[in-house]
Amino acid sequence: MWERGTKYNDGSPDIHASSIGFAKAALEAINGCNLFGEKGASWSVVYVDIDAHNRNRSIFETMLPRESSSKDVDAALLPTISFPAFATHEDILYNETKNRVLRKLKGKYGFKRYIRDGYKSVNEDPNRRYYERGELKNFENIECEWPLFYIFMIIDGVFKSLPDQITEYQELLKSLLHSDSNGDPLIPMYFYVPKEDVDKEKSQSFSARFKPCFEPGIFLWGQAMFVLAQLLTGGLLHINELDPIRRYLPSYNRPRKAGRYSAFQAKLHGTATDLVVQIVLIAESMRLQAMMGTYGIQTQTPHEVEPVQIWSSTQLVKVYENLGVNSKLNLKGRPVRPIGSLGTSKVYRVCGATVLCYPLIFEVSDFYLYRDMALLIDDIKTELQFVGKYWRLSGRPTVCLLIREEHMRDPQFKKMLDLLAMLKKGHCDGVKVRIGRLQNLISSSCVEHLDFMNMLALPQEPFYKSFKQLEHDYIGYQSLTDVPRVLNYSDQANDYFDFIHKSTREILEAIKYEDSLYAKSQLFGFLLKKEGKQYMVEEHTVEEHLLNIYHQAGCYRHWAAVRYTSSLLHHTVDSISPFITALLVHGKQLTVGVIGQKETIFDKPMTPGEIQAIVYETIQPYDIIQAVLQQEITLYCGRLISTNPELFKGILKIRIGWVLEAMKIYLKIFNFPKKLEEHSPFEVRQLLHKVLSIQNWDDKAQLTFQQQRQLEGCLCRVPKHFYRQVWDVLSKTPEGIKFMGKMLDQQPTLSDMTKSELSFSLLVEEMLNHIPLAECRQIFVELLTIVSTILLRNPELIFNQTLDLEQMVKDANHMYAKDNGFPDNENYLLNISYPQATRYLARAVVNTLLKGGSLTENFGSEDGSCKVS
């Protein structure tokens, strides 16, 4: 609908909630549909990726009630949330979106499409493809109004049983109708402000009489909707005839047609549900099964579930590569991207075989995260919580939990047993679960028939690899003590960073006499840089030595050495791409990079290869360990935002380098003996959760005010409506706002952007990020909030000079030092309470206004003329 992209009309694309919403609705409607009806073949069935669809839903619901980064609201959202898409059945989202559209776009002749829409206005030059910078201001208050959206409100009233709304918009529409030569009613395409009334309307809204436009003849879309509205309100057409698949009903109330393919069956949000997540426990061997039995945990081996096959999700990816392939149309199959948690919770029928896949968290890979049992336990809980929350298909989800023999050797295995015992009782963090034998659970599972595979000429050998059962000569009830255990390792490593400039001979000499794994990883890293990975040292290449150190360090749980060698080997977190996408679909941007060096922004999904290249080019040259640590944090943030989105409130751009800095500050504040990189992956994840939830800490009193500001400043978390407040300040600052030498100019910023658009918020966030000290950044946030409050209470005030935030903070600090008899050589504001800082910052603001001549001396006097408390 909006082919211009961003409202700036400069050729830049924009993600629109209306587009996502319509795509979401269409995918729900067409899933499992055979395009050729009952006589269609298996190759004419449409399959919808449930995990991709869930991302669409997340994007859509996160964006609402906003339309896009550049458009705060758009009339296109009316047909998105109501007829014909009915893309949401969340009452809160529906009402918020509808009310915002009405409040901001409703006019006397229809609805504006969006604020500052220049389309078809007399001020727009039809001969130019794009607008000039700052031109949008010309269209403010003279946007065209479209009667079409009055008709959508009538139809919405019919579907939602709102008789008053129907009557209101019928009356509004009646005065706008024209007649054709036969006397039949015609709907104008739009109404516009004539040239001679532009200035009048700009100075006073609704003062001009808009003129109708019928070019280039009958506006068929508007006319068609008018006919539908007349038929509906006249009782000649029933809503079920207009909407035969009942999109207007929540999917749990829609009639369900039986079929071979999975169908959407949404649950009601916010209420108790009878959804049960089914769990199948698969033990890698009979020995492990026997041992688990001694703890009362009943499992099945791969042989016992036959003929059902247990697959890894990567095998399913290979199957889906064949979906939709058409050489005549040059169509390729599903992209080679991981199957998500929802996709691995289905049972599949493939070429006569029945298949259950274990989730991605059980994949064994090069990356070190799978070695941490505590992390796996947490991942299992998160997986079950996610599936329970977002399952949208008929039939129950069935999750395969894999238990490997190597899990027994982990010191945390007792906690795994505790988790399984909890699952056996039928619950997991509020999610209902049921452990059972796979053969008994299939009948109640969601089953997907991948019939497109039947059309392929498959090789004689099996095209899939099923999960292999380990075989042992002796099967007995072995206790955990009979199995080799992982060792804890103490490593007092020497620091060899100064060897980076030494010769190869000196490095080799140091390696001979060094036993520390961490020291060895550093030394071989220097050799790698000097001589390359194929350089031979004692009959092995440098790369082979690094791999050996990596595996040794993993066995000993020496996490710093594990991370260091993992980075040198250029390992990448498995399936990091979906977790970056998870952050993006929740409306966040992501940056990676070492503080003080270049940053790379992720503002759109990327392939794993692209991500790996960016990580190792942006981070590793400046900090070897951070190249993997930032991947870890990205993964954890992606998981957290899916289950605990409230942790990220007020954070617009997640800067991973600064998040790591906040975690280091936290460790320092609370005197942790270990460095961040020496903590286990699970401990790092716990630490991240702690830092992100700083606003809810019970032990906040243990922090100084400076430490609180440091932590919040690292996250760049700002109060609600902060960016709108900065807009208000900028509108009263003709000479612009100065952030530590960087200028935010009033023009063309205000001409191009509107107060509530995301583009403006990102611009301000970028300005704040130029402030090198996190605690100073937070002081600037406090200052801007105070300036906004003063201007709100005193609307007549204006800043005649550049608003220099750094100078105002210095002035406030000087006043505090003078009042308290301190030397004026420290930044005291950083470590005083928020109310105290507010008083001195407010005084600095008033002084700046006095100097600029926009205040009289009695401002702030005791007669009550000052409205600032």
Side-chain angles (χ1 to χ4, degrees):
M1 193 169 173
W2 307 132
E3 68 274 10
R4 289 182 170 188
T6 68
K7 75 173 182 189
Y8 312 125
N9 191 26
D10 58 3
S12 304
D14 212 5
I15 296 176
H16 291 81
S18 56
S19 299
I20 299 289
F22 264 87
K24 168 187 178 288
L27 289 169
E28 288 171 352
I30 207 168
N31 182 44
C33 172
N34 195 314
L35 298 179
F36 295 152
E38 292 179 3
K39 296 183 180 179
S42 59
W43 44 261
S44 54
V45 176
V46 177
Y47 291 83
V48 172
D49 183 333
I50 178 63
D51 290 287
H53 174 268
N54 187 59
R55 288 194 291 274
N56 286 344
R57 182 200 54 75
S58 293
I59 298 170
F60 178 60
E61 293 181 357
T62 302
M63 290 180 77
L64 289 183
R66 180 188 298 279
E67 166 70 348
S68 72
S69 293
S70 67
K71 299 180 185 117
D72 175 45
V73 67
D74 195 306
L77 289 171
L78 284 177
T80 309
I81 60 171
S82 186
F83 175 82
F86 300 104
T88 183
H89 291 90
E90 299 276 349
D91 288 339
I92 293 174
L93 282 178
Y94 166 82
N95 290 321
E96 276 185 5
T97 306
K98 182 176 172 181
N99 291 337
R100 184 182 282 200
V101 172
L102 293 175
R103 190 172 66 252
K104 298 198 172 186
L105 302 178
K106 183 182 174 184
K108 290 165 64 177
Y109 303 91
F111 283 70
K112 299 173 182 179
R113 299 196 312 168
Y114 53 87
I115 303 299
R116 292 184 176 176
D117 174 24
Y119 183 57
K120 297 295 185 182
S121 70
V122 293
N123 277 11
E124 186 182 64
D125 182 354
N127 300 313
R128 275 192 292 118
R129 185 176 183 187
Y130 296 131
Y131 294 155
E132 303 290 347
R133 196 162 178 226
E135 192 176 353
L136 280 182
K137 187 78 173 172
N138 297 342
F139 310 122
E140 192 166 21
N141 295 333
I142 62 159
E143 301 93 338
C144 295
E145 295 183 0
W146 300 70
L148 167 68
F149 297 107
Y150 279 177
I151 301 171
F152 274 120
M153 289 299 290
I154 294 170
I155 296 175
D156 174 74
V158 175
F159 274 96
K160 301 289 183 181
S161 302
L162 301 170
D164 292 345
Q165 179 177 308
I166 297 169
T167 304
E168 177 189 351
Y169 285 94
Q170 282 177 326
E171 289 301 314
L172 288 169
L173 191 63
K174 196 180 294 182
S175 62
L176 307 179
L177 295 176
H178 286 64
S179 298
D180 65 7
S181 56
N182 299 317
D184 292 325
L186 274 184
I187 303 296
M189 185 178 188
Y190 59 88
F191 285 80
Y192 67 95
V193 179
K195 200 168 188 101
E196 62 273 15
D197 288 339
V198 166
D199 293 338
K200 182 181 175 185
E201 182 67 19
K202 272 178 169 281
S203 60
Q204 186 181 351
S205 295
F206 308 117
S207 59
R209 184 167 180 79
F210 286 47
K211 288 187 176 180
C213 178
F214 293 94
E215 293 178 12
I218 296 176
F219 178 42
L220 293 177
W221 186 11
Q223 207 64 26
M225 301 308 297
F226 176 69
V227 171
L228 285 178
Q230 293 294 92
L231 291 171
L232 284 169
T233 54
L236 298 173
L237 182 68
H238 191 270
I239 55 175
N240 288 348
E241 296 172 298
L242 185 57
D243 181 14
I245 60 171
R246 312 291 199 272
R247 286 283 318 159
Y248 72 93
L249 293 172
S251 59
Y252 47 83
N253 283 341
R254 292 176 202 152
R256 179 66 56 219
K257 190 177 79 170
R260 283 176 64 80
Y261 307 105
S262 64
F264 285 100
Q265 178 76 52
K267 64 180 183 181
L268 186 59
H269 262 307
T271 63
T273 172
D274 62 351
L275 179 73
V276 175
V277 178
Q278 301 181 153
I279 296 174
V280 176
L281 300 179
I282 299 293
E284 190 176 28
S285 67
M286 291 178 68
R287 180 175 77 173
L288 177 57
Q289 181 187 41
M291 190 279 296
M292 296 294 288
T294 63
Y295 290 93
I297 307 295
Q298 301 303 312
T299 60
Q300 291 177 279
T301 63
H303 288 335
E304 286 179 342
V305 298
E306 288 178 351
V308 180
Q309 303 286 337
I310 303 298
W311 284 8
S312 75
S313 62
T314 52
Q315 295 300 123
L316 195 56
V317 170
K318 290 178 183 176
V319 170
Y320 269 114
E321 280 185 72
N322 298 288
L323 174 62
V325 172
N326 188 309
S327 56
K328 292 179 183 177
L329 296 175
N330 197 26
L331 294 178
K332 297 178 181 177
R334 179 186 183 273
V336 184
R337 60 170 177 250
I339 304 288
S341 305
L342 302 174
T344 54
S345 299
K346 297 181 187 179
V347 174
Y348 291 89
R349 307 271 192 198
V350 191
C351 298
T354 302
V355 173
L356 179 65
C357 293
Y358 54 84
L360 208 56
I361 57 174
F362 291 102
E363 299 278 3
V364 174
S365 70
D366 289 338
F367 208 80
Y368 53 83
L369 295 182
Y370 84 93
R371 295 175 178 273
D372 188 353
M373 173 66 76
L375 191 72
L376 177 62
I377 292 167
D378 198 48
D379 279 344
I380 291 170
K381 292 179 181 178
T382 304
E383 187 90 0
L384 296 174
Q385 192 181 4
F386 181 86
V387 171
K389 188 175 182 180
Y390 294 115
W391 185 253
R392 293 290 185 278
L393 297 174
S394 51
R396 289 176 175 176
T398 304
V399 178
C400 175
L401 301 186
L402 210 57
I403 305 169
R404 299 178 187 273
E405 284 205 347
E406 66 184 78
H407 293 158
M408 290 191 298
R409 304 184 185 104
D410 196 285
Q412 303 279 347
F413 188 64
K414 176 67 171 62
K415 290 185 179 177
M416 173 66 89
L417 291 172
D418 292 341
L419 171 65
L420 296 176
M422 179 177 72
L423 297 179
K424 191 177 171 184
K425 292 177 182 176
H427 64 88
C428 177
D429 294 344
V431 178
K432 295 178 186 175
V433 299
R434 178 191 170 198
I435 295 179
R437 294 178 62 80
L438 178 54
Q439 288 85 345
N440 298 336
L441 299 179
I442 287 179
S443 60
S444 54
S445 297
C446 172
V447 180
E448 187 71 273
H449 294 259
L450 302 185
D451 291 341
F452 61 87
M453 291 295 293
N454 300 340
M455 303 296 296
L456 301 175
L458 296 173
Q460 293 300 312
E461 293 292 316
F463 64 93
Y464 56 83
K465 291 179 183 175
S466 188
F467 180 65
K468 297 296 181 191
Q469 180 170 325
L470 292 182
E471 303 293 349
H472 297 286
D473 294 333
Y474 168 74
I475 305 298
Y477 288 84
Q478 297 191 12
S479 69
L480 286 174
T481 53
D482 293 327
V483 184
R485 302 298 301 278
V486 170
L487 302 173
N488 285 318
Y489 184 69
S490 177
D491 184 353
Q492 299 298 320
N494 294 319
D495 200 337
Y496 279 97
F497 289 132
D498 58 330
F499 267 63
I500 193 167
H501 302 297
K502 297 205 174 183
S503 67
T504 299
R505 184 184 58 77
E506 290 174 294
I507 294 172
L508 289 171
E509 195 66 23
I511 288 172
K512 282 183 188 176
Y513 300 103
E514 186 55 73
D515 293 324
S516 159
L517 288 174
Y518 188 57
K520 278 186 174 181
S521 65
Q522 291 177 58
L523 292 166
F524 275 108
F526 301 144
L527 269 186
L528 179 72
K529 192 169 184 179
K530 282 178 180 291
E531 307 292 348
K533 60 184 181 182
Q534 296 306 317
Y535 183 74
M536 298 296 292
V537 180
E538 295 178 352
E539 300 181 356
H540 292 285
T541 64
V542 169
E543 184 179 34
E544 288 169 342
H545 280 289
L546 284 171
L547 277 169
N548 183 47
I549 294 169
Y550 175 69
H551 290 304
Q552 269 189 290
C555 290
Y556 288 121
R557 297 296 189 266
H558 189 317
W559 295 111
V562 166
R563 289 184 172 101
Y564 200 92
T565 47
S566 180
S567 177
L568 292 173
L569 293 164
H570 278 223
H571 288 168
T572 309
V573 169
D574 314 285
S575 69
I576 191 172
S577 187
F579 295 106
I580 290 177
T581 304
L583 294 167
L584 297 177
V585 303
H586 281 84
K588 309 296 179 186
Q589 287 191 357
L590 176 79
T591 74
V592 296
V594 176
I595 293 173
Q597 306 298 335
K598 68 172 183 177
E599 277 188 324
T600 300
I601 298 174
F602 291 101
D603 54 5
K604 60 180 181 294
M606 292 186 180
T607 65
E610 291 170 331
I611 294 166
Q612 183 185 41
I614 286 170
V615 163
Y616 282 100
E617 287 168 14
T618 307
I619 305 172
Q620 203 196 43
Y622 309 102
D623 192 312
I624 289 173
I625 283 186
Q626 278 203 36
V628 290
L629 205 47
Q630 291 205 23
Q631 292 182 63
E632 263 189 75
I633 300 301
T634 300
L635 176 83
Y636 303 153
C637 284
R639 280 200 178 278
L640 274 175
I641 205 166
S642 296
T643 52
N644 303 83
E646 70 283 353
L647 292 176
F648 297 86
K649 276 189 177 175
I651 303 173
L652 197 60
K653 194 178 281 185
I654 302 167
R655 298 181 183 271
I656 301 297
W658 279 104
V659 173
L660 280 177
E661 183 66 16
M663 295 164 74
K664 289 175 184 175
I665 290 169
Y666 177 87
L667 293 175
K668 190 176 178 182
I669 290 169
F670 290 97
N671 297 314
F672 279 78
K674 294 192 295 187
K675 292 180 180 178
L676 180 61
E677 59 267 25
E678 294 171 353
H679 287 75
S680 73
F682 178 64
E683 290 168 338
V684 170
R685 183 189 285 187
Q686 284 183 310
L687 188 57
L688 172 67
H689 190 283
K690 188 70 174 174
V691 166
L692 285 172
S693 60
I694 173 178
Q695 72 271 34
N696 301 322
W697 285 4
D698 293 328
D699 52 355
K700 218 183 212 180
Q702 298 177 39
L703 305 179
T704 66
F705 290 109
Q706 180 169 1
Q707 290 165 344
Q708 289 183 43
R709 288 186 174 102
Q710 271 185 312
L711 290 168
E712 290 284 33
C714 285
L715 302 175
C716 204
R717 194 198 302 273
V718 299
K720 195 175 181 182
H721 307 310
F722 170 74
Y723 295 110
R724 294 185 181 202
Q725 291 173 321
V726 177
W727 172 276
D728 292 334
V729 174
L730 190 59
S731 67
K732 295 293 187 77
T733 317
E735 299 300 316
I737 304 173
K738 193 174 183 182
F739 293 74
M740 302 282 281
K742 295 282 183 180
M743 282 298 300
L744 178 60
D745 295 316
Q746 189 189 66
Q747 295 300 341
T749 307
L750 299 190
S751 296
D752 275 343
M753 300 176 179
T754 53
K755 180 189 285 194
S756 49
E757 73 183 66
L758 192 57
S759 307
F760 177 74
S761 303
L762 287 167
L763 176 62
V764 175
E765 196 274 351
E766 188 65 38
M767 302 299 288
L768 287 170
N769 189 55
H770 287 302
I771 302 164
L773 290 177
E775 55 269 43
C776 290
R777 189 178 304 154
Q778 204 59 21
I779 282 283
F780 275 35
V781 170
E782 292 171 44
L783 173 57
L784 283 164
T785 306
I786 291 161
V787 175
S788 167
T789 304
I790 291 174
L791 293 177
L792 180 66
R793 295 176 184 176
N794 303 273
E796 73 282 1
L797 298 181
I798 193 167
F799 288 92
N800 296 324
Q801 300 169 322
T802 299
L803 187 63
D804 189 335
L805 300 179
E806 185 182 11
Q807 187 57 50
M808 291 172 80
V809 171
K810 285 179 180 176
D811 292 346
N813 194 67
H814 174 73
M815 285 185 278
Y816 179 83
K818 186 178 176 184
D819 286 356
N820 292 279
F822 297 145
D824 194 9
N825 59 0
E826 284 186 42
N827 197 340
Y828 299 105
L829 288 188
L830 298 179
N831 208 18
I832 63 176
S833 70
Y834 294 98
Q836 265 190 307
T838 298
R839 282 197 292 276
Y840 283 97
L841 289 169
R843 281 173 61 184
V845 175
V846 171
N847 284 349
T848 303
L849 286 162
L850 284 167
K851 287 175 192 172
S854 60
L855 270 186
T856 57
E857 287 292 342
N858 71 341
F859 185 87
S861 64
E862 293 181 3
D863 63 0
S865 59
C866 174
K867 302 171 194 168
V868 185
S869 59

